[in-house]
């Protein structure tokens, strides 16, 4: 996981600097927001001069899945003091959730679990900061990126991130529909096209998942709703 | 980026922090129930892929504003290469570099 996050941290730092974000804002996003996907999205939106409320709304939508993690981990955190829950919440990301949820489900020792959770969180956090700094330094020393197709760097990065999820077939549908709608609605103001496309893509993903279930288990009356 | 003053940049950051931290705190600190509607649980998993694709589709397919699927659009072969390398190697960095090589060569040789 730590190794897996490294290229994203580096690319984030490089893209952010290349897009003209000040160093403090780039580091601030990693230090305080600490949410990979939304940081990438923010770089893209900030780079194109998007209105503030749109940036916040998009951040909300992109990170809303963290509420799911927050809810899933609650049973393991009920007994913890409030300051622990405030702290652990701050570091809740996709990677931490995946590691910690698995560990806590298999070994439900509350006290050790909390320390494992904290340790994983801190490791991911420091790792992300380290690679962001590397990316910032790279972005500063390779200003060519700005002239040599920063937009393409962003396209290639996002395409690669999505491509890695394409083995899940519904993600393919979600991506195709989101891309199509975004393309058609690209002229709308306030990045409305982005919101429409995200909504349509998510709906397509859910629909594809349902259809796949129906095809795979046509005779099972207990198939999930 | 020149579009924002320093104050606005601070606001962007603070707003993003509040929104993100608020979501993470939601259940762990303020929540009591853990039941999440199943449909919502599913839907949320598709959000990042949908948003990222929605951001790049217009950039790759209509870089100048109008849809351009001609040979003059180097974004297309570059993006296809990035996706292909990603599927093949499962490595993000390799995919980006591969995409860049094809994009660069295309601009040099074809456009």
């Amino acid at each position: 996981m730590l190794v897996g996050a490294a290229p994203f941290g580096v690319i984030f730092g490089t893209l952010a600097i290349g897009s003209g974000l000040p160093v403090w804002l780039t580091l601030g996003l990693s230090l305080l927001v600490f949410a990979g996907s939304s940081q990438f999205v923010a770089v893209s939106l900030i780079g194109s001069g998007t209105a503030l409320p749109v940036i916040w709304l998009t951040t909300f939508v992109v990170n809303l899945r963290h509420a799911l993690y927050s809810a899933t981990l609650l049973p393991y955190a009920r007994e913890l003091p409030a300051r622990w829950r405030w702290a652990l919440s701050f570091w809740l990301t996709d990677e931490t959730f995946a590691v910690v949820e698995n560990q806590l489900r298999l070994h439900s020792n509350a006290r050790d679990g909390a320390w494992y959770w904290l340790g994983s969180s801190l490791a991911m956090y420091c790792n992300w900061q380290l690679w962001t700094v590397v990316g910032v330094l790279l972005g500063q020393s390779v200003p060519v990126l700005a002239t040599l197709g920063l937009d393409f760097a962003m396209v290639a990065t996002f395409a690669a991130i999505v491509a890695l999820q394409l083995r899940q077939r519904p993600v393919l549908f979600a991506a195709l529909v989101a891309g199509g709608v975004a393309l058609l609605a690209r002229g709308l103001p306030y990045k409305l096209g982005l919101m429409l496309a995200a909504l349509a893509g998510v709906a397509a993903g859910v629909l594809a998942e349902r259809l796949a279930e129906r095809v795979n288990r046509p005779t099972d009356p207990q198939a999930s709703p | 980026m020149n579009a924002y003053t320093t104050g606005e940049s601070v606001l962007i950051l603070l707003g993003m922090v509040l929104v993100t931290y608020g979501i993470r705190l939601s259940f762990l600190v303020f929540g009591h129930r853990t039941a999440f509607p199943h449909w919502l649980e599913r839907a949320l998993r598709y959000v990042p892929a949908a948003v990222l694709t929605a951001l790049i589709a217009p950039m790759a397919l209509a870089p100048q504003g109008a849809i351009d699927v001609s040979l003059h659009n180097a974004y297309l072969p570059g993006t296809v290469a990035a996706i292909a390398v990603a599927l093949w190697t499962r490595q993000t960095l390799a995919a980006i570099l591969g995409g860049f090589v094809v994009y660069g060569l295309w601009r040099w040789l074809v456009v």
Side-chain angles (χ1 to χ4, degrees), chain A residues 8 11 19-20 22 24-25 28-29 32-35 42 44 46 49-50 52 55-56 59-61 63 65-68 70-71 74 77-78 85-86 89-90 92-93 117 148-149 151-153 155 157-164 167 170-171 175 178-179 182-183 186 194 197-198 202 205-206 209-210 213, chain B residues 1 3-4 6 8-13 15-17 19-21 23-34 36 38-39 41-62 65-67 74-75 78-79 82-83 86-87 90-93 95-96 99-100 103:
Chain A
F8 293 109
I11 298 160
S19 303
W24 68 264
L25 183 55
L29 285 169
L32 298 175
V33 179
F34 185 49
S44 165
I46 292 171
T50 309
L52 273 60
I55 298 179
W56 297 330
T59 304
F60 177 77
V61 172
N63 287 339
R65 69 189 185 289
H66 292 159
L68 182 70
S70 188
L74 176 60
R78 273 224 175 81
R85 284 180 282 137
W86 278 86
S89 298
F90 179 80
L92 194 54
T93 59
W117 187 345
L148 216 144
D151 278 0
F152 180 74
V155 170
T157 304
F158 292 5
I161 293 173
V162 175
L164 290 178
R167 275 195 188 164
V171 175
L183 196 61
R186 68 189 181 284
L194 178 62
V202 166
V206 172
E209 191 183 326
R210 281 191 162 196
E213 265 173 11
Chain B
M1 185 57 214
Y4 308 99
T6 304
E8 284 172 330
S9 300
V10 171
L11 278 180
I12 291 176
L13 179 61
M16 286 183 65
V17 172
V19 162
T20 307
Y21 195 24
I23 292 171
R24 290 171 176 170
L25 288 170
S26 59
F27 287 87
L28 277 170
V29 172
F30 302 110
H32 300 288
R33 298 180 310 114
T34 58
F36 229 78
H38 191 61
W39 63 267
E41 192 175 316
R42 291 177 158 189
L44 292 177
R45 276 185 281 132
Y46 297 109
V47 172
V51 171
L52 290 176
T53 312
L55 278 171
I56 61 171
M59 291 167 81
L61 291 165
I67 293 180
Y75 280 79
T79 309
I83 293 171
L87 290 174
R90 322 286 306 157
Q91 301 286 328
T92 331
L93 217 50
I96 295 165
F100 244 115
Y103 171 78

Side-chain angles (χ1 to χ4, degrees), chain A residues 62-138:
Chain A
V62 172
N63 287 339
L64 197 55
R65 69 189 185 289
H66 292 159
L68 182 70
Y69 306 158
S70 188
T72 309
L73 291 176
L74 176 60
Y76 304 107
R78 273 224 175 81
E79 310 302 322
L80 296 176
R83 62 172 188 282
W84 271 80
R85 284 180 282 137
W86 278 86
L88 292 174
S89 298
F90 179 80
W91 289 303
L92 194 54
T93 59
D94 298 301
E95 290 85 358
T96 311
F97 173 74
V99 171
V100 170
E101 199 268 339
N102 190 46
Q103 173 77 12
L104 294 180
R105 196 162 22 82
L106 299 176
H107 316 275
S108 53
N109 177 335
R111 172 157 282 276
D112 293 350
W115 285 104
Y116 181 88
W117 187 345
L118 181 67
S120 307
S121 301
L122 287 177
M124 298 287 181
Y125 186 67
C126 295
N127 187 53
W128 185 244
Q129 307 314 323
L130 170 72
W131 294 113
T132 301
V133 171
V134 172
V136 166
L137 295 175
L138 192 68

